[in-house]
mmCIF file of all heavy atoms in Angstrom:
data_model
loop_
_atom_site.group_PDB
_atom_site.id
_atom_site.type_symbol
_atom_site.label_atom_id
_atom_site.label_comp_id
_atom_site.label_asym_id
_atom_site.label_seq_id
_atom_site.Cartn_x
_atom_site.Cartn_y
_atom_site.Cartn_z
ATOM 1 N N VAL A 1 26.475 -86.030 67.301
ATOM 2 C CA VAL A 1 26.069 -87.011 66.309
ATOM 3 C C VAL A 1 24.755 -87.646 66.691
ATOM 4 O O VAL A 1 23.837 -87.827 65.925
ATOM 5 C CB VAL A 1 27.143 -88.058 66.162
ATOM 6 C CG1 VAL A 1 26.689 -89.192 65.184
ATOM 7 C CG2 VAL A 1 28.445 -87.398 65.623
ATOM 8 N N LEU A 2 24.678 -88.072 67.999
ATOM 9 C CA LEU A 2 23.463 -88.733 68.538
ATOM 10 C C LEU A 2 22.260 -87.779 68.498
ATOM 11 O O LEU A 2 21.160 -88.218 68.199
ATOM 12 C CB LEU A 2 23.716 -89.276 69.935
ATOM 13 C CG LEU A 2 24.788 -90.327 70.034
ATOM 14 C CD1 LEU A 2 24.908 -90.767 71.537
ATOM 15 C CD2 LEU A 2 24.497 -91.573 69.184
ATOM 16 N N GLU A 3 22.459 -86.548 68.813
ATOM 17 C CA GLU A 3 21.370 -85.549 68.832
ATOM 18 C C GLU A 3 20.845 -85.362 67.370
ATOM 19 O O GLU A 3 19.627 -85.260 67.196
ATOM 20 C CB GLU A 3 21.836 -84.215 69.391
ATOM 21 C CG GLU A 3 21.981 -84.231 70.901
ATOM 22 C CD GLU A 3 22.405 -82.931 71.467
ATOM 23 O OE1 GLU A 3 22.984 -82.119 70.733
ATOM 24 O OE2 GLU A 3 22.178 -82.691 72.655
ATOM 25 N N GLU A 4 21.784 -85.362 66.428
ATOM 26 C CA GLU A 4 21.305 -85.252 65.067
ATOM 27 C C GLU A 4 20.507 -86.424 64.549
ATOM 28 O O GLU A 4 19.481 -86.238 63.909
ATOM 29 C CB GLU A 4 22.563 -84.998 64.135
ATOM 30 C CG GLU A 4 22.178 -84.812 62.624
ATOM 31 C CD GLU A 4 23.426 -84.570 61.774
ATOM 32 O OE1 GLU A 4 24.351 -83.851 62.272
ATOM 33 O OE2 GLU A 4 23.427 -85.101 60.634
ATOM 34 N N GLU A 5 20.997 -87.585 64.948
ATOM 35 C CA GLU A 5 20.280 -88.839 64.578
ATOM 36 C C GLU A 5 18.932 -88.842 65.288
ATOM 37 O O GLU A 5 17.903 -89.223 64.643
ATOM 38 C CB GLU A 5 21.097 -90.052 65.037
ATOM 39 C CG GLU A 5 22.345 -90.222 64.219
ATOM 40 C CD GLU A 5 23.181 -91.388 64.697
ATOM 41 O OE1 GLU A 5 22.809 -92.005 65.752
ATOM 42 O OE2 GLU A 5 24.206 -91.710 64.071
ATOM 43 N N ARG A 6 18.893 -88.448 66.539
ATOM 44 C CA ARG A 6 17.613 -88.445 67.262
ATOM 45 C C ARG A 6 16.636 -87.502 66.628
ATOM 46 O O ARG A 6 15.415 -87.741 66.497
ATOM 47 C CB ARG A 6 17.778 -88.116 68.706
ATOM 48 C CG ARG A 6 16.506 -88.178 69.574
ATOM 49 C CD ARG A 6 16.766 -88.102 71.063
ATOM 50 N NE ARG A 6 17.239 -86.690 71.412
ATOM 51 C CZ ARG A 6 17.332 -86.287 72.640
ATOM 52 N NH1 ARG A 6 17.109 -87.150 73.680
ATOM 53 N NH2 ARG A 6 17.812 -85.079 72.887
ATOM 54 N N GLN A 7 17.171 -86.238 66.274
ATOM 55 C CA GLN A 7 16.335 -85.288 65.624
ATOM 56 C C GLN A 7 15.715 -85.754 64.328
ATOM 57 O O GLN A 7 14.589 -85.556 63.980
ATOM 58 C CB GLN A 7 17.078 -83.971 65.396
ATOM 59 C CG GLN A 7 16.242 -82.851 64.807
ATOM 60 C CD GLN A 7 15.133 -82.434 65.725
ATOM 61 O OE1 GLN A 7 15.304 -82.290 66.962
ATOM 62 N NE2 GLN A 7 13.880 -82.181 65.169
ATOM 63 N N LYS A 8 16.560 -86.478 63.521
ATOM 64 C CA LYS A 8 16.120 -87.049 62.304
ATOM 65 C C LYS A 8 14.966 -88.101 62.525
ATOM 66 O O LYS A 8 13.915 -88.080 61.876
ATOM 67 C CB LYS A 8 17.230 -87.722 61.532
ATOM 68 C CG LYS A 8 16.880 -88.267 60.161
ATOM 69 C CD LYS A 8 18.093 -88.906 59.530
ATOM 70 C CE LYS A 8 17.742 -89.523 58.229
ATOM 71 N NZ LYS A 8 18.956 -90.161 57.550
ATOM 72 N N GLN A 9 15.173 -88.951 63.539
ATOM 73 C CA GLN A 9 14.153 -89.965 63.844
ATOM 74 C C GLN A 9 12.906 -89.269 64.388
ATOM 75 O O GLN A 9 11.759 -89.722 64.128
ATOM 76 C CB GLN A 9 14.718 -90.957 64.846
ATOM 77 C CG GLN A 9 15.836 -91.816 64.326
ATOM 78 C CD GLN A 9 16.471 -92.678 65.361
ATOM 79 O OE1 GLN A 9 16.428 -92.337 66.607
ATOM 80 N NE2 GLN A 9 17.180 -93.740 64.987
ATOM 81 N N ARG A 10 13.101 -88.234 65.180
ATOM 82 C CA ARG A 10 11.919 -87.472 65.716
ATOM 83 C C ARG A 10 11.141 -86.835 64.609
ATOM 84 O O ARG A 10 9.866 -86.872 64.610
ATOM 85 C CB ARG A 10 12.440 -86.366 66.657
ATOM 86 C CG ARG A 10 11.371 -85.641 67.398
ATOM 87 C CD ARG A 10 11.975 -84.662 68.428
ATOM 88 N NE ARG A 10 10.988 -83.999 69.225
ATOM 89 C CZ ARG A 10 10.348 -82.884 68.842
ATOM 90 N NH1 ARG A 10 10.602 -82.367 67.629
ATOM 91 N NH2 ARG A 10 9.403 -82.372 69.625
ATOM 92 N N ASP A 11 11.770 -86.283 63.584
ATOM 93 C CA ASP A 11 11.124 -85.674 62.452
ATOM 94 C C ASP A 11 10.304 -86.793 61.724
ATOM 95 O O ASP A 11 9.166 -86.492 61.220
ATOM 96 C CB ASP A 11 12.107 -84.996 61.507
ATOM 97 C CG ASP A 11 12.658 -83.752 62.157
ATOM 98 O OD1 ASP A 11 12.083 -83.255 63.104
ATOM 99 O OD2 ASP A 11 13.752 -83.320 61.684
ATOM 100 N N GLU A 12 10.883 -87.984 61.663
ATOM 101 C CA GLU A 12 10.171 -89.082 60.960
ATOM 102 C C GLU A 12 8.973 -89.451 61.745
ATOM 103 O O GLU A 12 7.879 -89.728 61.164
ATOM 104 C CB GLU A 12 11.119 -90.314 60.783
ATOM 105 C CG GLU A 12 12.271 -90.088 59.816
ATOM 106 C CD GLU A 12 13.216 -91.246 59.732
ATOM 107 O OE1 GLU A 12 13.063 -92.208 60.592
ATOM 108 O OE2 GLU A 12 14.079 -91.192 58.932
ATOM 109 N N GLN A 13 9.097 -89.528 63.070
ATOM 110 C CA GLN A 13 7.923 -89.863 63.908
ATOM 111 C C GLN A 13 6.854 -88.780 63.793
ATOM 112 O O GLN A 13 5.652 -89.054 63.799
ATOM 113 C CB GLN A 13 8.336 -90.034 65.392
ATOM 114 C CG GLN A 13 8.889 -91.399 65.669
ATOM 115 C CD GLN A 13 9.088 -91.584 67.179
ATOM 116 O OE1 GLN A 13 10.167 -91.386 67.737
ATOM 117 N NE2 GLN A 13 8.052 -92.007 67.800
ATOM 118 N N LYS A 14 7.302 -87.526 63.714
ATOM 119 C CA LYS A 14 6.329 -86.416 63.633
ATOM 120 C C LYS A 14 5.507 -86.536 62.356
ATOM 121 O O LYS A 14 4.398 -86.095 62.308
ATOM 122 C CB LYS A 14 7.127 -85.086 63.610
ATOM 123 C CG LYS A 14 6.272 -83.878 63.525
ATOM 124 C CD LYS A 14 7.174 -82.594 63.586
ATOM 125 C CE LYS A 14 6.357 -81.345 63.377
ATOM 126 N NZ LYS A 14 7.163 -80.134 63.348
ATOM 127 N N GLY A 15 6.143 -87.146 61.341
ATOM 128 C CA GLY A 15 5.423 -87.367 60.031
ATOM 129 C C GLY A 15 4.320 -88.285 60.051
ATOM 130 O O GLY A 15 3.343 -88.144 59.256
ATOM 131 N N PHE A 16 4.350 -89.323 60.940
ATOM 132 C CA PHE A 16 3.313 -90.304 60.921
ATOM 133 C C PHE A 16 2.442 -90.369 62.172
ATOM 134 O O PHE A 16 1.406 -90.993 62.144
ATOM 135 C CB PHE A 16 3.854 -91.653 60.618
ATOM 136 C CG PHE A 16 4.775 -92.288 61.626
ATOM 137 C CD1 PHE A 16 4.202 -92.888 62.736
ATOM 138 C CD2 PHE A 16 6.109 -92.255 61.433
ATOM 139 C CE1 PHE A 16 5.067 -93.436 63.696
ATOM 140 C CE2 PHE A 16 6.973 -92.831 62.424
ATOM 141 C CZ PHE A 16 6.400 -93.383 63.534
ATOM 142 N N LEU A 17 2.990 -89.819 63.344
ATOM 143 C CA LEU A 17 2.215 -89.890 64.574
ATOM 144 C C LEU A 17 1.158 -88.784 64.600
ATOM 145 O O LEU A 17 1.477 -87.636 64.468
ATOM 146 C CB LEU A 17 3.175 -89.807 65.753
ATOM 147 C CG LEU A 17 2.566 -90.003 67.210
ATOM 148 C CD1 LEU A 17 1.883 -91.357 67.271
ATOM 149 C CD2 LEU A 17 3.665 -89.808 68.234
ATOM 150 N N ARG A 18 -0.106 -89.140 64.892
ATOM 151 C CA ARG A 18 -1.187 -88.242 64.957
ATOM 152 C C ARG A 18 -1.928 -88.402 66.248
ATOM 153 O O ARG A 18 -1.960 -89.394 66.879
ATOM 154 C CB ARG A 18 -2.154 -88.552 63.769
ATOM 155 C CG ARG A 18 -1.564 -88.314 62.391
ATOM 156 C CD ARG A 18 -1.369 -86.793 62.075
ATOM 157 N NE ARG A 18 -0.838 -86.608 60.819
ATOM 158 C CZ ARG A 18 0.458 -86.483 60.431
ATOM 159 N NH1 ARG A 18 1.339 -86.643 61.367
ATOM 160 N NH2 ARG A 18 0.850 -86.278 59.210
ATOM 161 N N GLU A 19 -2.597 -87.277 66.653
ATOM 162 C CA GLU A 19 -3.466 -87.341 67.806
ATOM 163 C C GLU A 19 -4.574 -88.353 67.638
ATOM 164 O O GLU A 19 -5.206 -88.372 66.573
ATOM 165 C CB GLU A 19 -4.018 -86.001 68.153
ATOM 166 C CG GLU A 19 -3.004 -84.975 68.555
ATOM 167 C CD GLU A 19 -3.521 -83.546 68.892
ATOM 168 O OE1 GLU A 19 -4.814 -83.400 68.790
ATOM 169 O OE2 GLU A 19 -2.731 -82.651 69.189
ATOM 170 N N GLY A 20 -4.793 -89.179 68.593
ATOM 171 C CA GLY A 20 -5.785 -90.237 68.536
ATOM 172 C C GLY A 20 -5.279 -91.598 68.170
ATOM 173 O O GLY A 20 -5.881 -92.638 68.244
ATOM 174 N N ASP A 21 -3.922 -91.643 67.682
ATOM 175 C CA ASP A 21 -3.290 -92.886 67.297
ATOM 176 C C ASP A 21 -3.025 -93.711 68.534
ATOM 177 O O ASP A 21 -2.688 -93.199 69.655
ATOM 178 C CB ASP A 21 -2.012 -92.611 66.557
ATOM 179 C CG ASP A 21 -2.216 -92.153 65.127
ATOM 180 O OD1 ASP A 21 -3.380 -92.154 64.721
ATOM 181 O OD2 ASP A 21 -1.256 -91.785 64.506
ATOM 182 N N ARG A 22 -3.087 -95.081 68.402
ATOM 183 C CA ARG A 22 -2.657 -96.007 69.461
ATOM 184 C C ARG A 22 -1.232 -96.423 69.143
ATOM 185 O O ARG A 22 -0.934 -96.846 68.003
ATOM 186 C CB ARG A 22 -3.567 -97.247 69.453
ATOM 187 C CG ARG A 22 -4.919 -97.078 70.155
ATOM 188 C CD ARG A 22 -5.720 -98.314 69.999
ATOM 189 N NE ARG A 22 -7.039 -98.204 70.671
ATOM 190 C CZ ARG A 22 -7.292 -98.872 71.824
ATOM 191 N NH1 ARG A 22 -6.399 -99.653 72.324
ATOM 192 N NH2 ARG A 22 -8.457 -98.722 72.376
ATOM 193 N N VAL A 23 -0.402 -96.318 70.181
ATOM 194 C CA VAL A 23 1.010 -96.663 69.972
ATOM 195 C C VAL A 23 1.495 -97.483 71.161
ATOM 196 O O VAL A 23 0.929 -97.357 72.237
ATOM 197 C CB VAL A 23 1.886 -95.394 69.748
ATOM 198 C CG1 VAL A 23 1.598 -94.804 68.383
ATOM 199 C CG2 VAL A 23 1.702 -94.385 70.844
ATOM 200 N N ARG A 24 2.577 -98.185 71.016
ATOM 201 C CA ARG A 24 3.188 -98.901 72.123
ATOM 202 C C ARG A 24 4.456 -98.176 72.557
ATOM 203 O O ARG A 24 5.189 -97.619 71.733
ATOM 204 C CB ARG A 24 3.541 -100.311 71.729
ATOM 205 C CG ARG A 24 2.296 -101.205 71.447
ATOM 206 C CD ARG A 24 2.627 -102.618 71.440
ATOM 207 N NE ARG A 24 3.025 -103.097 72.779
ATOM 208 C CZ ARG A 24 2.194 -103.380 73.756
ATOM 209 N NH1 ARG A 24 0.838 -103.297 73.603
ATOM 210 N NH2 ARG A 24 2.603 -103.832 74.932
ATOM 211 N N GLY A 25 4.689 -98.132 73.825
ATOM 212 C CA GLY A 25 5.842 -97.462 74.395
ATOM 213 C C GLY A 25 6.343 -98.120 75.697
ATOM 214 O O GLY A 25 5.748 -99.110 76.137
ATOM 215 N N THR A 26 7.330 -97.509 76.294
ATOM 216 C CA THR A 26 7.881 -98.021 77.504
ATOM 217 C C THR A 26 7.917 -96.993 78.601
ATOM 218 O O THR A 26 8.344 -95.799 78.279
ATOM 219 C CB THR A 26 9.364 -98.574 77.283
ATOM 220 O OG1 THR A 26 9.343 -99.513 76.186
ATOM 221 C CG2 THR A 26 9.944 -99.172 78.537
ATOM 222 N N ILE A 27 7.523 -97.255 79.773
ATOM 223 C CA ILE A 27 7.495 -96.333 80.868
ATOM 224 C C ILE A 27 8.944 -95.985 81.237
ATOM 225 O O ILE A 27 9.712 -96.890 81.539
ATOM 226 C CB ILE A 27 6.750 -96.838 82.103
ATOM 227 C CG1 ILE A 27 5.291 -97.189 81.776
ATOM 228 C CG2 ILE A 27 6.837 -95.861 83.271
ATOM 229 C CD1 ILE A 27 4.486 -95.944 81.303
ATOM 230 N N SER A 28 9.338 -94.748 81.122
ATOM 231 C CA SER A 28 10.720 -94.319 81.422
ATOM 232 C C SER A 28 10.891 -93.794 82.804
ATOM 233 O O SER A 28 12.027 -94.017 83.375
ATOM 234 C CB SER A 28 11.178 -93.335 80.326
ATOM 235 O OG SER A 28 10.321 -92.214 80.377
ATOM 236 N N SER A 29 9.997 -93.131 83.361
ATOM 237 C CA SER A 29 10.076 -92.644 84.720
ATOM 238 C C SER A 29 8.691 -92.382 85.316
ATOM 239 O O SER A 29 7.729 -92.139 84.581
ATOM 240 C CB SER A 29 10.940 -91.379 84.754
ATOM 241 O OG SER A 29 10.370 -90.344 83.986
ATOM 242 N N ILE A 30 8.655 -92.364 86.655
ATOM 243 C CA ILE A 30 7.335 -92.173 87.366
ATOM 244 C C ILE A 30 7.518 -91.058 88.362
ATOM 245 O O ILE A 30 8.438 -90.935 89.090
ATOM 246 C CB ILE A 30 6.912 -93.505 88.070
ATOM 247 C CG1 ILE A 30 6.630 -94.620 87.022
ATOM 248 C CG2 ILE A 30 5.657 -93.212 88.923
ATOM 249 C CD1 ILE A 30 6.344 -95.966 87.665
ATOM 250 N N HIS A 31 6.507 -90.138 88.368
ATOM 251 C CA HIS A 31 6.448 -89.022 89.300
ATOM 252 C C HIS A 31 5.072 -88.925 89.901
ATOM 253 O O HIS A 31 4.120 -89.676 89.541
ATOM 254 C CB HIS A 31 6.773 -87.738 88.529
ATOM 255 C CG HIS A 31 8.051 -87.790 87.763
ATOM 256 N ND1 HIS A 31 9.276 -87.418 88.243
ATOM 257 C CD2 HIS A 31 8.332 -88.240 86.486
ATOM 258 C CE1 HIS A 31 10.264 -87.606 87.362
ATOM 259 N NE2 HIS A 31 9.711 -88.073 86.253
ATOM 260 N N ASN A 32 4.920 -88.030 90.880
ATOM 261 C CA ASN A 32 3.633 -87.991 91.632
ATOM 262 C C ASN A 32 2.567 -87.418 90.711
ATOM 263 O O ASN A 32 1.358 -87.530 90.981
ATOM 264 C CB ASN A 32 3.779 -87.158 92.869
ATOM 265 C CG ASN A 32 4.320 -85.794 92.650
ATOM 266 O OD1 ASN A 32 4.531 -85.325 91.539
ATOM 267 N ND2 ASN A 32 4.555 -85.047 93.751
ATOM 268 N N PHE A 33 2.921 -86.723 89.624
ATOM 269 C CA PHE A 33 1.951 -86.020 88.741
ATOM 270 C C PHE A 33 1.611 -86.862 87.521
ATOM 271 O O PHE A 33 0.777 -86.533 86.762
ATOM 272 C CB PHE A 33 2.422 -84.627 88.301
ATOM 273 C CG PHE A 33 3.779 -84.651 87.702
ATOM 274 C CD1 PHE A 33 3.992 -84.944 86.393
ATOM 275 C CD2 PHE A 33 4.910 -84.396 88.505
ATOM 276 C CE1 PHE A 33 5.277 -84.998 85.814
ATOM 277 C CE2 PHE A 33 6.176 -84.346 87.937
ATOM 278 C CZ PHE A 33 6.345 -84.662 86.606
ATOM 279 N N GLY A 34 2.372 -87.953 87.280
ATOM 280 C CA GLY A 34 2.145 -88.785 86.096
ATOM 281 C C GLY A 34 3.368 -89.623 85.826
ATOM 282 O O GLY A 34 4.270 -89.705 86.572
ATOM 283 N N ALA A 35 3.347 -90.271 84.661
ATOM 284 C CA ALA A 35 4.445 -91.134 84.274
ATOM 285 C C ALA A 35 4.879 -90.699 82.821
ATOM 286 O O ALA A 35 4.043 -90.379 81.981
ATOM 287 C CB ALA A 35 4.028 -92.565 84.256
ATOM 288 N N PHE A 36 6.208 -90.773 82.569
ATOM 289 C CA PHE A 36 6.691 -90.471 81.220
ATOM 290 C C PHE A 36 6.814 -91.813 80.445
ATOM 291 O O PHE A 36 7.311 -92.814 80.991
ATOM 292 C CB PHE A 36 8.032 -89.795 81.292
ATOM 293 C CG PHE A 36 7.903 -88.312 81.622
ATOM 294 C CD1 PHE A 36 8.022 -87.882 82.918
ATOM 295 C CD2 PHE A 36 7.664 -87.387 80.629
ATOM 296 C CE1 PHE A 36 7.893 -86.569 83.224
ATOM 297 C CE2 PHE A 36 7.485 -86.098 80.911
ATOM 298 C CZ PHE A 36 7.654 -85.613 82.256
ATOM 299 N N VAL A 37 6.387 -91.770 79.226
ATOM 300 C CA VAL A 37 6.463 -92.967 78.342
ATOM 301 C C VAL A 37 7.355 -92.665 77.104
ATOM 302 O O VAL A 37 7.179 -91.508 76.544
ATOM 303 C CB VAL A 37 5.040 -93.413 77.855
ATOM 304 C CG1 VAL A 37 4.279 -92.281 77.142
ATOM 305 C CG2 VAL A 37 5.115 -94.628 77.047
ATOM 306 N N LYS A 38 8.172 -93.535 76.806
ATOM 307 C CA LYS A 38 9.131 -93.370 75.646
ATOM 308 C C LYS A 38 8.567 -94.121 74.432
ATOM 309 O O LYS A 38 8.326 -95.334 74.554
ATOM 310 C CB LYS A 38 10.512 -93.827 75.976
ATOM 311 C CG LYS A 38 11.547 -93.417 74.885
ATOM 312 C CD LYS A 38 12.957 -93.705 75.375
ATOM 313 C CE LYS A 38 13.990 -93.187 74.328
ATOM 314 N NZ LYS A 38 15.358 -93.497 74.755
ATOM 315 N N ILE A 39 8.378 -93.432 73.337
ATOM 316 C CA ILE A 39 7.815 -93.957 72.117
ATOM 317 C C ILE A 39 8.827 -93.674 71.003
ATOM 318 O O ILE A 39 8.915 -92.555 70.577
ATOM 319 C CB ILE A 39 6.476 -93.437 71.815
ATOM 320 C CG1 ILE A 39 5.501 -93.745 72.967
ATOM 321 C CG2 ILE A 39 5.903 -94.075 70.457
ATOM 322 C CD1 ILE A 39 4.201 -93.020 72.924
ATOM 323 N N GLY A 40 9.563 -94.701 70.639
ATOM 324 C CA GLY A 40 10.646 -94.412 69.669
ATOM 325 C C GLY A 40 11.699 -93.625 70.315
ATOM 326 O O GLY A 40 12.270 -93.956 71.346
ATOM 327 N N VAL A 41 11.963 -92.397 69.717
ATOM 328 C CA VAL A 41 12.970 -91.535 70.281
ATOM 329 C C VAL A 41 12.338 -90.371 71.091
ATOM 330 O O VAL A 41 13.045 -89.475 71.574
ATOM 331 C CB VAL A 41 13.851 -90.935 69.168
ATOM 332 C CG1 VAL A 41 14.637 -92.090 68.566
ATOM 333 C CG2 VAL A 41 13.042 -90.172 68.138
ATOM 334 N N VAL A 42 11.024 -90.289 71.122
ATOM 335 C CA VAL A 42 10.372 -89.177 71.823
ATOM 336 C C VAL A 42 9.751 -89.645 73.148
ATOM 337 O O VAL A 42 9.484 -90.843 73.327
ATOM 338 C CB VAL A 42 9.210 -88.537 70.963
ATOM 339 C CG1 VAL A 42 9.820 -88.019 69.641
ATOM 340 C CG2 VAL A 42 8.108 -89.571 70.718
ATOM 341 N N GLU A 43 9.606 -88.725 74.056
ATOM 342 C CA GLU A 43 9.024 -89.003 75.328
ATOM 343 C C GLU A 43 7.792 -88.111 75.540
ATOM 344 O O GLU A 43 7.767 -86.992 75.131
ATOM 345 C CB GLU A 43 10.043 -88.685 76.489
ATOM 346 C CG GLU A 43 10.718 -89.938 77.025
ATOM 347 C CD GLU A 43 11.494 -89.689 78.251
ATOM 348 O OE1 GLU A 43 11.865 -88.494 78.531
ATOM 349 O OE2 GLU A 43 11.806 -90.652 79.011
ATOM 350 N N GLY A 44 6.812 -88.615 76.197
ATOM 351 C CA GLY A 44 5.600 -87.906 76.466
ATOM 352 C C GLY A 44 5.084 -88.249 77.902
ATOM 353 O O GLY A 44 5.518 -89.226 78.495
#
């Protein structure tokens, strides 16, 4: 159920998030090669 909800929210984010956009997120984890940031239901 949660995966279906997350996929739906992800598709919604895909519809409005574009390269070059400024967005706010939360640092989810840190590694020696970079840091992962969570924006809504997606991570980058």
Side-chain angles (χ1 to χ4, degrees):
V1 175
L2 297 179
E3 284 180 342
E4 182 178 320
E5 291 176 355
R6 185 173 67 171
Q7 183 61 45
K8 182 180 177 181
Q9 293 172 340
R10 187 177 183 274
D11 291 340
E12 290 176 355
Q13 279 190 263
K14 182 179 177 181
F16 67 79
L17 185 58
R18 297 287 183 269
E19 293 180 2
D21 286 353
R22 283 176 175 253
V23 290
R24 294 197 65 82
T26 304
I27 300 298
S28 54
S29 61
I30 296 175
H31 306 269
N32 57 3
F33 54 84
F36 283 94
V37 58
K38 189 171 184 180
I39 300 165
V41 296
V42 302
E43 261 190 339

